[in-house]
Amino acid sequence: MSVSTEPIQLPSPAEPSTRRRLPRGLRRPGTIVAGAWLVLVVLASATARWWTPFPAEHQDLGQVLGGPTARHLLGTDELGRDIFSRLVAGGWISIGPALLAVAVAFGVGVPMALLAAEHGRRAEWSCSRVAELLLALPTTVILLAFVGSVGVHVWAIMAVLGLLLSAPVYRILLALAQSLRTRLYVDAAKVNGVGSLQVNLRHVLPGLATTIAVQAAQLFALGILIEAGLAFMGYGPAVPTPSWGGLIGDAQQHIYDDPWMMVPTGVVLALTVIAANQIADSLAGERERTAPVRKPARRSGRFVPTAVRPSAVVTSDALLEVRDLHVGVDDGPELVSGVSVRIRPGTVLGLVGESGCGKTMTARSLLGLLPDGVAVTEGSIHFGGRDLVGLTERELQAVRGREIAMISQEPMVALDPMFSVGYQLTRPIRRFRGVGRREARRTALDLLAQVGIVDPQRVLRSHPHELSGGMAQRVCIALALTGSPKLLIADEPTTALDVTVQAEILSLLRSLVRTSGLSVVLVSHDLGVVADLCDDIAVMYAGQVVESGTVTAVLDDAAHPYTGALLSANPHIPQGEEVPDRLPSIRGTVPAPEHWPDGCRFAQRCALATARCHEPIEAAPAHRDGTVRCIHPLSTATTVAPSEPGAAR
Amino acid sequence: MLTYLARRFGLGVVTVLVASVLSFLLVHASGGSPGVITAGEGATKAQIAAENDRLGWNRSLTAQYATWLTHAVRGDLGASLIDGHTIWPDLTQRLPVTASTAVFATLVSGVLGILPGVLAAVRGGRLDRVITTLSGITLSLPQFWVGIVLVYVIAVKGRLLPATGYVAFTTSPSQYAQSLTLPVLALGLTGAAIIARTTRAGMVNALQQEHIRTLRALGTPAWRIRYLHALRFAGAPVVAVLGVQFIALFGGSVIIEQLFALPGLGQAAQNAINTHDFPAVQGVVVIATVVVVATNLVLDLVLATLDPKVRAA
């Protein structure tokens, strides 16, 4: 009997309001069948005495060890008793005690977890020590010792099992309850004078519901197995009473002369446990269920190149040129539609916009690192004389790190926690530069010094969890530099950092651009940062570039109402100007990709919108070298008559 | 790290003490008395009382426990009420049997579980569904039933291996292996299913981590990402579950030892229980707890070498 509980995937605690509908997992056919089976077994067993063909104890010594017949559907045992009748009758005594164990486990575990979460360190300390102790006890042996001294009392034994199982219940629920209690709505309830019991019942317990249900189903399955195991050893219900474990025990005695006997009970027992586990699995949720399907490197047909246009010749001065890039979810909405941007060597391009505008997707597509199920559907990315769209995974691998590198939003999780900084740096250095261990180490030290780390020796020896956020981001930048790339993609590199550290990282990036000729694509929602660091800017809204050009041109003379709105919502007040009482904000939110309209996507939030805005609008040349996608531009930037629609720039 | 281990060790000692107190109290709460057993059937009340007196049963609980404990730390767990043999040597003789099954079953579940788990996570698609379903079914099967089926198919029908019995390694290594194969398989198959599940979940989670994207953005070869970085990240929970499993297998061996007639600790436990041999019950509980505690300590060490964060704690 295995007393191992599979580590339970914690579903993210549901807020109380999301509780009402049945979890989707429960509505799947497999789960319904599983639930129906459990109900059927219990009902059939509870009513067994009225409908089974024979009483469970009815013996027929003329019919011993018979196989299945019309009279005895599942055959007979060594005393000629009908196996089917005994199997049905034994259902409750096999399932009921398991339910009791589950009830005790939660009856003890849940209040303990709630108490420990509520009453702070002291209560938690004592509860946790008790739980640790219970966890360290050998479950089976304790149960047997109980049987040995107190005797065979099935329900009492299972209650003791429940007590032992309350420890894992407590452990898992405690962590969850603690995190729930830090939620704002719980604080709000407490501030409003809601009583402690009320807070627990109304706000904490509902958040634990899913986890409790998952665990209950798993422990129920475990309980059935343990109960059956005990009965199999002879510590089940007293002799003539049938129980599943006991029936299998009987079958074991006749493995030589009637092997059939072990089949029916074993199958019914297994099906019941499978049903309970199935319910646990589906409750545990969709989140963990599916592993991403690995796609064979970019199958043809996934991406249809928009014919080999002669016009697709790369303009000579651009390091990277994105043309008409479309990124979409497989069988879903488009996330990026028709983005065109270019990056000149040694310059910084800022991609700005609110969250959900497709900035990150655009940036990630440059490296072919889109999430599973998202792909480039149209357009081209020209870099170093070839189109990155349509390269195989292997070809892209050669580009990544060596020619284009990336640093991410959250430096604290961007480094592998299991390996030292030294290992993580020297590995790619050796691969990229073909040098030995010692040389790589020296290069790593140089790189760390280059990104402004004061004590490279020590950092090289440390593990990621020993670094601060700013240090980790510096290490990430050093990591990105290991392959001496020409282009660095920085996706909100400072968002997760303290303000002072932000400035340091930005100035580091600036000096890297200046000294090494690196080009950078900077994804940001902070216009101040962009104004500070970038040469060119592309303002994105709802998957499109709505305005682009040099930073000075666009920010000083914004043409698109969205850019204007972003600028006025920006808290960087130029010197000498009056600080407004209240910062203007853009009303409404970015629509979800499936609701993007055909016309101007900003129209519904735009004060200047007219009926014509709801028709498709092409990007028009503006800011000398840039574009704007608006028919009511704020400024005179669009001096060139919008006579050549479609010509991106 | 050292303080952490010291703390865990301290907790382990406490656990063993608590287990011994528990079993001691259980024995006394049961209402029976050892005199009934040693005096034999048909003994008079006076004879039973005399026996109880001789065994020190009438002394205060604390005095009795103190005596038991001072003997126990010197490796003396008392003598059986049934035949008077000393318990400690008997249990230590049985330990290798149970340890063999538990160790090999853990190895089997590791080897048979990790590979499909990794495959399911890495390949995804249909293979993933097949592996997930199969492991879901296997982990729901009662081990003793799997054992019976194995006995029937391999020993009774196939005549490939002995159905029951145990041969010591020192007697004949090949027969030792043969006698252990079926019990190890019966225990290891369900274990493998659980490990496959854990590994798959761990790998899926690992492959979604941000640091994996960093590695991909550096053009790190796919095999290196999967089998070095992701697997190591997923490794800690797998090792933890393997440890839990070893403990569970140690306990689960009670049933398997009955099924395969193996002279291990489980059998001793069962004998002691069936004959109400109180000192032996207590001895088994203590030995089993020591094994659990020792396993947990080893587990802590392994996890610490795997995860630098734990090491620093």
Side-chain angles (χ1 to χ4, degrees):
Chain A
M1 68 182 86
S2 73
V3 192
S4 65
T5 36
E6 211 183 333
I8 291 161
Q9 287 281 328
L10 288 188
S12 47
E15 307 257 324
S17 59
T18 60
R19 224 171 12 106
R20 243 175 267 140
R21 275 198 311 166
L22 218 54
R24 199 189 310 166
L26 280 190
R27 284 179 271 143
R28 270 190 279 125
T31 320
I32 294 172
V33 172
W37 169 261
L38 290 181
V39 171
L40 179 81
V41 168
V42 172
L43 284 183
S45 164
T47 57
R49 75 180 73 167
W50 293 295
W51 65 272
T52 49
F54 298 91
E57 281 90 41
H58 174 82
Q59 300 184 2
D60 179 0
L61 293 172
Q63 284 277 339
V64 292
L65 301 178
T69 58
R71 196 171 141 78
H72 297 285
L73 279 177
L74 298 175
T76 53
D77 68 4
E78 73 276 13
L79 294 174
R81 294 176 293 195
D82 183 49
I83 291 182
F84 177 72
S85 304
R86 290 177 68 73
L87 190 52
V88 173
W92 174 246
I93 194 66
S94 309
I95 290 178
L99 285 175
L100 175 71
V102 173
V104 171
F106 284 91
V108 176
V110 172
M112 230 165 97
L114 290 179
L115 270 177
E118 184 176 347
H119 289 292
R121 205 177 289 164
R122 262 269 208 45
E124 190 205 318
W125 191 89
S126 21
C127 285
S128 294
R129 289 302 86 76
V130 172
E132 263 177 72
L133 230 150
L134 286 179
L135 275 173
L137 289 174
T139 312
T140 322
V141 175
I142 296 289
L143 288 183
L144 287 180
F146 183 79
V147 173
S149 5
V150 179
V152 182
H153 302 289
V154 181
W155 295 88
I157 299 170
M158 294 305 276
V160 172
L161 174 67
L163 214 55
L164 291 172
L165 290 181
S166 68
V169 168
Y170 163 81
R171 255 246 286 243
I172 289 170
L173 291 185
L174 174 68
L176 206 55
Q178 278 172 334
S179 88
L180 276 174
R181 288 198 76 91
T182 62
R183 298 283 170 98
L184 283 176
Y185 62 84
V186 175
D187 280 340
K190 276 189 288 190
V191 171
N192 286 336
V194 180
S196 130
L197 185 67
Q198 288 289 312
V199 169
N200 273 326
L201 288 184
R202 225 186 290 158
H203 298 287
V204 183
L205 211 51
L208 301 179
T210 317
T211 310
I212 291 181
V214 172
Q215 269 201 304
Q218 279 184 337
L219 291 184
F220 173 60
L222 184 70
I224 295 178
L225 283 178
I226 290 187
E227 202 275 335
L230 287 169
F232 173 78
M233 281 191 289
Y235 305 130
V239 160
T241 315
S243 79
W244 293 348
L247 289 179
I248 296 181
D250 293 344
Q252 189 217 341
Q253 305 300 320
H254 296 280
I255 190 163
Y256 289 97
D257 46 0
D258 186 15
W260 162 256
M261 262 175 83
M262 70 187 173
V263 177
T265 321
V267 169
V268 169
L269 176 52
L271 280 180
T272 308
V273 179
I274 291 172
N277 279 331
Q278 166 68 34
I279 290 174
D281 281 0
S282 16
L283 279 169
E286 330 282 60
R287 202 169 59 92
E288 180 261 347
R289 203 180 72 250
T290 44
V293 181
R294 191 177 57 158
K295 293 177 197 102
R298 232 177 261 254
R299 244 177 285 129
S300 61
R302 277 187 62 70
F303 168 70
V304 190
T306 6
V308 188
R309 287 170 304 182
S311 64
V313 177
V314 189
T315 336
S316 56
D317 68 327
L319 173 70
L320 178 135
E321 176 145 14
V322 177
R323 281 199 188 165
D324 194 30
L325 184 75
H326 291 255
V327 175
V329 180
D330 294 348
D331 317 313
E334 217 169 48
L335 302 177
V336 171
S337 16
V339 162
S340 300
V341 288
R342 64 206 293 234
I343 297 136
R344 295 174 287 139
T347 64
V348 181
L349 168 73
L351 283 181
V352 297
E354 288 165 279
S355 306
C357 284
K359 307 179 303 263
T360 297
M361 287 303 153
T362 305
R364 285 223 219 145
S365 61
L366 303 184
L367 269 176
L369 281 181
L370 291 166
D372 286 300
V374 177
V376 172
T377 50
E378 214 182 310
S380 63
I381 302 169
H382 281 283
F383 178 83
R386 70 206 132 139
D387 186 356
L388 298 184
V389 176
L391 287 193
T392 62
E393 183 66 21
R394 185 171 285 270
E395 287 167 322
L396 274 171
Q397 227 174 65
V399 175
R400 292 178 193 146
R402 239 179 259 272
E403 299 184 66
I404 306 179
M406 186 171 91
I407 55 174
S408 81
Q409 227 173 85
E410 292 189 61
M412 293 306 278
V413 292
L415 295 167
D416 193 331
M418 298 292 182
F419 292 87
S420 71
V421 170
Y423 179 88
Q424 297 187 57
L425 270 174
T426 50
R427 261 289 141 195
I429 290 173
R430 291 174 63 184
R431 183 159 47 86
F432 288 136
R433 310 192 181 187
V435 295
R437 196 179 296 255
R438 186 173 301 176
E439 178 67 26
R441 210 171 164 78
R442 216 168 28 236
T443 313
L445 287 173
D446 286 350
L447 281 175
L448 285 179
Q450 199 187 334
V451 296
I453 280 177
V454 190
D455 188 359
Q457 288 282 5
R458 191 183 59 81
V459 170
L460 215 54
R461 275 194 310 270
S462 33
H463 280 86
H465 68 270
E466 296 162 312
L467 303 177
S468 67
M471 290 250 267
Q473 191 60 295
R474 283 174 199 273
V475 171
C476 285
I477 294 172
L479 200 55
L481 296 178
T482 51
S484 325
K486 298 188 193 75
L487 177 65
L488 178 69
I489 297 165
D491 187 357
E492 310 231 10
T494 58
T495 313
L497 303 175
D498 285 349
V499 179
T500 44
V501 183
Q502 282 185 14
E504 288 171 25
I505 296 292
L506 289 173
S507 77
L508 167 63
L509 282 176
R510 190 183 304 118
S511 79
L512 282 175
V513 171
R514 217 170 278 157
T515 56
S516 63
L518 188 71
S519 304
V520 177
V521 175
L522 179 78
V523 175
S524 177
H525 55 250
D526 187 340
L527 282 178
V529 168
V530 170
D532 203 23
L533 205 63
C534 298
D535 301 289
D536 297 316
I537 181 173
V539 182
M540 287 191 70
Y541 185 79
Q544 293 177 324
V545 173
V546 293
E547 185 165 10
S548 66
T550 60
V551 163
T552 35
V554 172
L555 295 190
D556 289 351
D557 193 16
H560 198 284
Y562 181 59
T563 316
L566 278 183
L567 277 170
S568 53
N570 185 31
H572 296 257
I573 306 298
Q575 263 191 333
E577 276 182 37
E578 209 177 311
V579 179
D581 286 344
R582 193 194 165 107
L583 213 55
S585 61
I586 313 176
R587 67 191 162 98
T589 52
V590 185
E594 53 271 25
H595 301 305
W596 287 346
D598 290 336
C600 173
R601 293 178 177 176
F602 186 59
Q604 52 180 325
R605 297 171 74 187
C606 182
L608 306 175
T610 58
R612 259 214 308 143
C613 293
H614 297 289
E615 289 160 29
I617 292 165
E618 292 294 336
H623 304 302
R624 217 157 38 111
D625 210 11
T627 59
V628 63
R629 195 185 283 268
C630 183
I631 49 175
H632 304 295
L634 295 174
S635 72
T636 52
T638 44
T639 41
V640 184
S643 57
E644 10 170 5
R649 59 194 73 221
Chain B
M1 180 66 202
L2 270 179
T3 48
Y4 172 72
L5 275 184
R7 204 181 74 83
R8 302 290 299 174
F9 184 79
L11 181 77
V13 173
V14 173
T15 309
V16 174
L17 284 178
V18 168
S20 70
V21 171
L22 266 181
S23 58
F24 179 78
L25 290 178
L26 266 178
V27 165
H28 281 268
S30 65
S33 76
V36 179
I37 295 150
T38 48
E41 266 175 68
T44 62
K45 277 219 171 110
Q47 283 171 315
I48 292 173
E51 277 297 312
N52 277 340
D53 229 30
R54 182 179 68 82
L55 294 163
W57 185 257
N58 297 328
R59 295 190 300 145
S60 75
L61 283 183
T62 34
Q64 284 190 53
Y65 182 73
T67 315
W68 180 86
L69 190 62
T70 45
H71 284 104
V73 292
R74 278 182 268 138
D76 175 11
L77 291 173
S80 161
L81 296 179
I82 307 302
D83 53 8
H85 71 258
T86 40
I87 291 163
W88 175 258
D90 176 54
L91 292 185
T92 43
Q93 244 177 22
R94 289 168 175 276
L95 197 58
V97 183
T98 307
S100 301
T101 43
V103 166
F104 288 122
T106 309
L107 283 179
V108 164
S109 52
V111 172
L112 292 187
I114 291 175
L115 200 70
V118 169
L119 268 181
V122 165
R123 296 278 156 139
R126 187 182 297 168
L127 187 68
D128 177 28
R129 279 197 296 278
V130 169
I131 290 174
T132 306
T133 311
L134 274 184
S135 58
I137 293 173
T138 313
L139 68 85
S140 303
L141 298 177
Q143 285 167 344
F144 53 92
W145 189 68
V146 174
I148 300 176
V149 172
L150 284 175
V151 166
Y152 178 70
V153 174
I154 295 175
V156 177
K157 282 279 143 193
R159 298 188 177 284
L160 299 172
L161 290 166
T164 54
Y166 174 77
V167 180
F169 182 81
T170 45
T171 314
S172 157
S174 76
Q175 283 183 15
Y176 164 81
Q178 284 182 8
S179 64
L180 282 183
T181 305
L182 288 184
V184 163
L185 272 183
L187 289 170
L189 282 179
T190 47
I194 295 173
I195 292 295
R197 283 282 180 110
T198 315
T199 310
R200 179 190 167 281
M203 280 294 279
V204 168
N205 172 39
L207 287 169
Q208 287 165 353
Q209 295 297 308
E210 184 75 22
H211 69 260
I212 295 293
R213 195 185 307 141
T214 308
L215 288 164
R216 290 181 67 198
L218 283 169
T220 315
W223 64 267
R224 216 187 163 81
I225 292 182
R226 279 185 208 139
Y227 303 114
L228 188 72
H229 293 275
L231 195 57
R232 176 145 178 202
F233 189 83
V238 173
V239 170
V241 173
L242 271 175
V244 170
Q245 233 164 54
F246 178 78
I247 291 167
L249 290 176
F250 224 92
S253 63
V254 180
I255 301 182
I256 288 298
E257 281 171 16
Q258 177 191 324
L259 184 56
F260 291 96
L262 300 177
L265 280 181
Q267 207 186 49
Q270 221 189 339
N271 291 341
I273 289 157
N274 292 343
T275 56
H276 298 280
D277 192 348
F278 300 135
V281 171
Q282 223 166 327
V284 169
V285 170
V286 169
I287 298 264
T289 313
V290 168
V291 168
V292 170
V293 164
T295 311
N296 279 333
L297 277 178
V298 172
L299 203 61
D300 286 337
L301 273 175
V302 173
L303 286 177
T305 51
L306 268 179
D307 189 343
K309 252 188 266 182
V310 178
R311 219 179 304 158

